[in-house]
Structures are given as structure tokens and as C-alpha cells.
Amino acid sequence: MGETDRVGEVIEASSTGFTAQCYELYSSPSLGSLVKTGEGSTVLYGVVYQAETTSLEPGRRPIARGKDETSEDAVYQSNPQLLKLLKSEFSALIVGHFQHDRVNHYLPPQPARIHGFVYKCPLEEVRRFSSSFAFLNIIVNSSLPVSTEEITGAALRNMSQAHDDQRGFLISAGKELALLFGANFCQLKAILERIQS
């Protein structure tokens, strides 16, 4: 795993997901990105479903500082301490893991380790992971603060970028979703609208 792909460190973990703090402010992976954490024989894969930038101190909100500045960058240049007072974090839903030399599209036996490094997955790894749509079942049956339609659509749009035939990948994903949703046409339609390219 390359150092350049490392985006943060796990600060909270459960059997179904993890939250990571970014090393750089505003450097969260995009919504729906496939990320990974873990070393050695077990690597956990997650889909980013939420990102936020907040104050390092709980209960203390940032205040407006740019009234006399000409740009947003100028606010940070005039107030360099802001980089030390704010943090960016993102949360990921675990959608599979690599263990025993194979990718498994179900939850791992153990949660991520606190302080485990989190990496963006390179395109080849995204392609390998998304060669099966079994992970979709985890996403569509999850209970997250963001709608299933948004996360599913964002994940599939991101994953399609790793495939030579992006349209073919999305058509296959749509067929899989039709099986998962069955009679729930409204939810299926909402996701299909979000993955159109």
C-alpha cells in the first residue's frame, strides 16, 4: 500500500464500519469511494458514506473570519492556527474484506483496529472488488444517516471508473439491484437515476 494513498487513521470502529480522521484538512475521500484498512492477512473494505469538518474541541464551533478577506484561501493564510483547530473525518460502511487470499463480500470477523491506517483503493483493487455485486446487499440493507439510494448510487458511479466498460458495469449493477429490490420500484428507480452516466 503506497503512502501517497494513505488518507487517515481509524479513530472509531465497529463490526459494521469505521470512522477515520484525515491527516490533512478537507482531504476526505469522496462520497461512495472504496477505502481500506488493515495489514497482513486481513484487509477491510469500506464505502465512504459521510464526511465532515468540525472543531477539534467538542461543543466549540468555528466562527466566521473572512469578512475582510478576498478569498477563502486568504482566511487560512491570515489565520494559520485554523489548520490546528479543525479536523476532517469520514465514516465508511464495511462492505467486505480480504482474508485467506480472497475477497469476501460480507462482514469481517473483527472490526478495524483503532489507529489503523486508511487508504484509498487504487483502480485495479476497486475493479477486483467490484467484479461481484454481492456487496450491494450490505449497502441496501444498512441503516445510515444518508439515504441508501445516495450511497449506492455514489458507490457504483465511483466503481464504474475502474472498469473499461463503464456503461456495461452500470447496466449489470442495475440488473443486480432489480433483483435486490424486487417490487420496490420507487427505490430502484431512485438509484438507477443516480447511476446514469
Side-chain angles (χ1 to χ4, degrees), residues 11 19-22 28 50-54 87-91:
I11 56 170
T19 298
Q21 183 174 336
C22 298
S28 297
Q50 181 172 308
E52 63 182 0
T53 298
T54 60
K87 62 180 176 173
S88 291
E89 297 176 353
F90 62 92
S91 297

Side-chain angles (χ1 to χ4, degrees), residues 78-137:
S78 299
N79 301 276
Q81 75 279 8
L82 292 178
L83 297 176
K84 302 290 185 197
L85 298 174
L86 301 171
K87 62 180 176 173
S88 291
E89 297 176 353
F90 62 92
S91 297
L93 173 70
I94 296 174
V95 291
H97 64 286
F98 180 85
Q99 190 175 43
H100 306 303
D101 296 325
R102 58 178 269 179
V103 174
N104 303 291
H105 294 93
Y106 53 85
L107 295 177
Q110 298 291 325
R113 293 180 58 163
I114 300 297
H115 297 297
F117 299 147
V118 181
Y119 302 84
K120 292 180 185 176
C121 289
L123 288 179
E124 178 55 41
E125 198 163 2
V126 173
R127 186 180 308 114
R128 188 170 57 246
F129 181 85
S130 60
S131 63
S132 165
F133 294 112
F135 67 92
L136 288 173
N137 192 48

